[in-house]
Amino acid sequence: MNLILLGPPGAGKGTQAVRIAERKNLLHLSSGDILREERKAKTELGLQAQDYMDRGALVPDDLILAMMMSHIEKAGAYAGFLLDGFPRTVAQAEGLDDLLKSKKTPLEHVVKIDVPRDALLDRLTGRLYCPKCGRTYHTKFSPPKEPGVCDNSGEPLIRRADDTVEVVSERLEIYERQTAPVVDHYERQGLVRTVSGVGNINQISERIIEACRE
Ligand code: AP5
């Protein structure tokens, strides 16, 4: 199963992607997590990306496409891939279409997660993140068992630099301007299913899995 999760910042793409990838044995590829790893390792790509990320702007398409293509190549060892945070522009979606066509690998599902704007702001400004395994938590909605420590890796949790009110507002605007057209791109291919991202995290996982059966 090859699947894309789409939705605005804070919709719960990362939260759901980790769970669904585990259940379905999919290679989970989060462009945001990969970029944060590149930054941590101070690679050329990480250094090029950091200013865009801190401002809430999108990293240029050519850098993202090259990065994601090399990761998608590794999906052969899994039952498919689950993309989270990519593609984020129509140019990225077209680049992905070309790659999948050349590999004769069909994209089967595009699930869009809908959450009202006010809730997105609450979620992002209370988010905690594990820099080691990428798992996300929320101070109120999804706290770790031990405050400030990742349940999975035992590492101290941090807040993302781009989760301030100002940067989140910029990211939401960029989503509307540059990423919402990606939904139309996949609508034209008849692939989009929309699920509500409001409610209990497990219920939302079930909605996504159900949407992939349609
Ligand atoms: P990225 O890391 O991809 O950020 P994003 O898309 O803005 O998405 P988020 O990670 O903020 O949100 P999410 O939907 O994954 O929500 P989450 O599950 O964490 O990108 C960061 C930056 O990298 C970009 O701004 C850009 O600069 C660059 N970049 C990345 N990809 C790029 C690309 N393709 N092209 C160009 N640039 C790119 O949940 C949020 C919070 O809500 C958490 O605290 C969680 O615990 C909580 N939560 C989740 N579900 C629920 C629920 N049901 N109820 C209550 N709380 C919930």
Side-chain angles (χ1 to χ4, degrees):
M1 173 162 92
N2 296 320
L3 160 69
I4 296 177
L5 288 186
L6 283 180
K13 302 180 297 295
T15 302
Q16 294 300 333
V18 169
R19 287 163 174 77
I20 289 166
E22 262 172 28
R23 271 174 68 172
K24 298 286 178 186
N25 184 31
L26 304 177
L27 174 63
H28 170 205
L29 295 173
S30 156
S31 48
D33 285 349
I34 296 170
L35 288 168
R36 282 183 285 278
E37 280 297 316
E38 298 280 343
R39 285 183 65 167
K40 208 163 110 187
K42 295 191 167 40
T43 63
E44 169 110 29
L45 170 60
L47 294 172
Q48 283 175 304
Q50 71 187 17
D51 175 55
Y52 295 99
M53 294 175 79
D54 288 346
R55 284 187 284 123
L58 295 185
V59 176
D61 287 334
D62 54 338
L63 298 180
I64 294 289
L65 276 165
M67 174 184 94
M68 293 306 289
M69 299 306 166
S70 70
H71 283 272
I72 290 171
E73 301 283 349
K74 299 171 196 155
Y78 295 78
F81 59 74
L82 192 170
L83 304 179
D84 149 21
F86 171 85
R88 228 165 168 116
T89 63
V90 172
Q92 291 179 17
E94 289 170 349
L96 178 64
D97 286 350
D98 291 345
L99 175 84
L100 297 182
K101 210 172 186 180
S102 74
K103 300 211 149 304
K104 297 190 171 42
T105 305
L107 179 63
E108 287 148 301
H109 307 284
V110 176
V111 178
K112 176 172 171 270
I113 307 178
D114 266 357
V115 174
R117 190 188 164 97
D118 288 354
L120 296 174
L121 209 60
D122 283 349
R123 287 184 184 188
L124 292 174
T125 51
R127 171 163 59 185
L128 297 170
Y129 164 74
C130 174
K132 186 159 186 210
C133 71
R135 219 162 246 256
T136 55
Y137 300 85
H138 192 281
T139 48
K140 267 196 295 194
F141 307 135
S142 172
K145 288 183 189 124
E146 189 185 333
V149 178
C150 179
D151 297 348
N152 185 44
S153 70
E155 285 286 305
L157 298 172
I158 57 171
R159 286 185 192 266
R160 273 172 45 179
D162 59 351
D163 278 347
T164 60
V165 176
E166 298 73 30
V167 181
V168 167
S169 305
E170 176 67 13
R171 287 162 59 202
L172 290 173
E173 264 182 45
I174 287 181
Y175 176 82
E176 287 308 325
R177 234 179 18 244
Q178 293 184 264
T179 308
V182 174
V183 178
D184 302 333
H185 175 89
Y186 289 119
E187 291 274 15
R188 285 193 286 278
Q189 298 181 18
L191 291 174
V192 180
R193 303 286 175 271
T194 300
V195 301
S196 164
V198 177
N200 172 290
I201 288 172
N202 291 332
Q203 284 171 345
I204 298 165
S205 303
E206 294 309 319
R207 285 176 205 154
I208 294 171
I209 296 212
E210 193 50 44
C212 293
R213 288 203 187 99
E214 285 169 17

